[in-house]
Amino acid sequence: MSAVNNETLVDVRHLKQYFSINTGMFSSKPLKAVDDVSFSIKRGETLGLVGESGCGKTTVGRTLLHLYKPTGGEVFFHDKPVKTKAEINEFRKKATMVFQDPYSSLNPRMTVSDIIGEPLDIHKMYSDRKAREERILDLMDKVGLNSEHASRYAHEFSGGQRQRIGIARALALNPEFIVCDEPVSALDVSIQAQVINMFDELQEEMGLTYLFIAHDILVVRHISDRIAVMYLGKMVELADAKEIYSQPLHPYTKSLMSAVPQPDPRIARANKRIVLTGDIPSPLNAPSGCPFRTRCPHALEACAQSMPEFKEVSSGHFAACHRIEELN
C-alpha cells in the first residue's frame, strides 16, 4: 500500500449495468448485475471489492472501464466525465485491467513481446522499433520476466508467469489506475503471495491506484486501504480495511468476516461462525427492498418495503441496513 493522496482519482456515481435476458418467445427481463453503485478512489489508494460469486464485482470493474456500456450512472476521472468516445479513448490510456484468468486473457498466437507491445501499437506510443523493444524489455524486467522470454508463446509459461505477462501488458501505457479482477484466484497459494507483493511494489514505484476485486477476504485485507462489500448487485458496506475487519456493521459483512480462518486456536474457538441459510436469489428475480433480507436473520417487514439507504454511519464507514443502529 502506497501513500494515499487526498485527491480523488476515480469517482463512480450511481453506476448501473442491466443485461436483457430472453425469458420467452417475445419477452425479455433485465438482469440487474450492478444496481446503483457509488464509490470513489483516491490517488495512490487500493480499494478492495469483495462479495460472493455472481454479486456483480467483475461487472463493476468492466463497466467502470467502459468494456460494457453502462446502463446508467456516471464515471469521473480527475473530476472529468468519461462519456464520449474521445473521453473513453483518453481514459483507456490511463486506466487498464488485469484479468482473472491468465490462460484465456493472452492470445496463444502472439509472442510475449507482441502481447506486451500491443497497447503500445494501438496508441502509437513509441518513436521507432528500437524504442518499442526497449520499452517491452523494461516492462518484462519490472514484473520479473527474463529478456529471453520475449520470443516465446503464452502456452510455454506457468500460470504465475502468464499473469506477470498480463500485468506487464497492463503497465505498458504507464497507467494511473488499474482494475485488478481476481488476479491471483487462478494461481497456487505460494505464487499468489509473490504476485500480491509485486502489486504492492509496483504501486510504490509507479504511484498506481487499484480497484482490487477478489472473493478471498484475507488477500483483500492484505493489499487494500479500504474495502467495499457487494451483495446481489448492491453495495452494502464500505470502510477502512482494518475497521471493516474488526467492526463490521452489516449482517452480511459480519457473516463474511466470521468465516475468515484465525491462526490463533483460542481466538478461533471463541469466534462464533455466522452461517447464512438459503441460497443467493437470482439477480433476475431479486427480492423487493433489501436484497439480503431473504437470508438475513434480522429482517423485518420494513426490509421488504424499501431498499435501505447507503449512508455514512460513522466517519468514513458506510452501510446499507434499516436496523444498522439497532444491531450495532
Side-chain angles (χ1 to χ4, degrees):
M1 289 180 280
S2 69
V4 177
N5 196 303
N6 276 329
E7 178 200 344
T8 296
L9 185 72
V10 179
D11 192 11
V12 176
R13 301 178 192 172
H14 308 292
L15 193 68
K16 295 180 182 178
Q17 183 61 63
Y18 300 170
F19 298 106
S20 184
I21 305 296
N22 289 331
T23 53
M25 188 76 78
F26 301 108
S27 59
S28 64
K29 198 173 183 182
L31 186 151
K32 298 180 179 182
V34 177
D35 194 15
D36 200 13
V37 165
S38 300
F39 60 88
S40 61
I41 310 175
K42 289 183 167 60
R43 181 190 283 280
E45 181 184 31
T46 299
L47 176 67
L49 187 59
V50 298
E52 290 169 273
S53 295
C55 73
K57 306 184 298 291
T58 293
T59 309
V60 165
R62 294 188 176 206
T63 307
L64 193 164
L65 291 177
H66 284 72
L67 299 181
Y68 300 145
K69 188 181 177 183
T71 305
E74 297 174 294
V75 176
F76 292 82
F77 187 66
H78 285 297
D79 290 328
K80 293 176 183 171
V82 181
K83 264 187 181 176
T84 66
K85 196 172 181 181
E87 288 165 350
I88 293 167
N89 284 342
E90 203 55 40
F91 178 50
R92 284 182 181 161
K93 290 180 187 176
K94 292 297 177 186
T96 185
M97 191 165 193
V98 175
F99 295 92
Q100 176 178 2
D101 187 0
Y103 294 86
S104 62
S105 64
L106 304 178
N107 190 329
R109 294 182 180 85
M110 291 169 74
T111 63
V112 169
S113 176
D114 286 337
I115 288 169
I116 297 171
E118 191 175 21
L120 300 173
D121 298 338
I122 291 167
H123 294 283
K124 299 176 175 57
M125 300 290 282
Y126 54 85
S127 51
D128 52 41
R129 300 298 294 179
K130 188 171 184 292
R132 178 184 184 272
E133 192 177 323
E134 283 174 0
R135 177 65 179 147
I136 289 166
L137 293 178
D138 177 53
L139 288 163
M140 290 177 69
D141 182 55
K142 260 190 172 64
V143 298
L145 294 170
N146 299 325
S147 56
E148 59 261 29
H149 291 152
S151 58
R152 295 190 194 172
Y153 292 86
H155 71 267
E156 299 177 59
F157 294 90
S158 67
Q161 287 174 316
R162 289 185 205 194
Q163 195 58 291
R164 287 172 190 269
I165 296 166
I167 294 166
R169 176 179 60 187
L171 296 173
L173 300 178
N174 273 327
E176 295 177 48
F177 174 60
I178 300 180
V179 174
C180 307
D181 181 20
E182 306 221 23
V184 296
S185 64
L187 308 178
D188 294 340
V189 175
S190 58
I191 307 298
Q192 282 186 9
Q194 293 174 22
V195 174
I196 290 290
N197 289 336
M198 185 173 68
F199 273 117
D200 269 340
E201 288 161 14
L202 289 168
Q203 185 175 47
E204 202 71 47
E205 182 188 336
M206 300 175 70
L208 295 168
T209 303
Y210 296 138
L211 173 63
F212 198 93
I213 299 165
H215 59 262
D216 188 330
I217 295 169
L218 288 175
V219 168
V220 172
R221 184 193 180 200
H222 174 78
I223 198 170
S224 302
D225 297 291
R226 289 185 302 146
I227 294 174
V229 182
M230 277 188 75
Y231 183 84
L232 214 64
K234 297 273 192 185
M235 197 169 278
V236 295
E237 191 159 358
L238 170 65
D240 179 82
K242 287 177 184 169
E243 187 171 337
I244 209 166
Y245 199 87
S246 60
Q247 287 183 300
L249 298 179
H250 195 279
Y252 177 61
T253 313
K254 288 178 181 179
S255 171
L256 284 183
M257 296 305 168
S258 77
V260 175
Q262 295 288 347
D264 188 327
R266 284 172 300 178
I267 296 173
R269 276 195 293 272
N271 188 26
K272 287 197 172 86
R273 178 84 169 85
I274 302 169
V275 181
L276 297 176
T277 57
D279 297 321
I280 305 176
S282 164
L284 261 183
N285 297 296
S288 61
C290 175
F292 184 59
R293 69 175 176 80
T294 56
R295 300 174 76 197
C296 180
H298 310 292
L300 299 173
E301 186 59 38
C303 302
Q305 305 302 324
S306 63
M307 174 65 199
E309 181 193 352
F310 188 66
K311 63 181 181 181
E312 193 167 13
V313 181
S314 59
S315 180
H317 198 147
F318 297 80
C321 177
H322 285 304
R323 303 185 68 191
I324 206 83
E325 285 88 3
E326 193 183 329
L327 297 172
N328 293 285

